[in-house]
Amino acid sequence: MKNDKHKFLSIFLVVGFIMGACIGMIVRIFLDLNIGFSIALGGGFGMLLGIVMGSVIDYERQNKER
């Protein structure tokens, strides 16, 4: 693939959202929160972590290629 500069960013964004939503549902059980609030909060934090991890991996990969 010629245009895969942000391949890991995309993958970790989706995986982070899914894992964050799952963790939000599990945390909901212990903290007795609203299900919509916990999924939104968990998914948001998961996407944020996915963006950071994917960007770092893509940045390191692009620097190795140069």
Side-chain angles (χ1 to χ4, degrees), residues 11-61:
I11 292 170
F12 277 100
L13 182 68
V14 172
V15 170
F17 176 72
I18 293 170
M19 293 302 294
C22 292
I23 291 171
M25 288 191 294
I26 293 170
V27 168
R28 177 206 175 266
I29 296 169
F30 297 112
L31 297 180
D32 197 31
L33 296 172
N34 185 0
I35 188 71
F37 179 71
S38 62
I39 290 175
L41 194 62
F45 280 126
M47 286 185 351
L48 181 64
L49 288 174
I51 288 171
V52 170
M53 290 180 357
S55 296
V56 168
I57 291 171
D58 283 336
Y59 178 76
E60 291 295 325
R61 189 178 61 141

Side-chain angles (χ1 to χ4, degrees), residues 1-8 10 58 61-62 65:
M1 293 186 72
K2 189 175 184 180
N3 193 11
D4 63 346
K5 288 173 61 174
H6 305 292
K7 181 174 102 175
F8 287 104
S10 305
D58 283 336
R61 189 178 61 141
Q62 287 177 5
E65 291 176 358

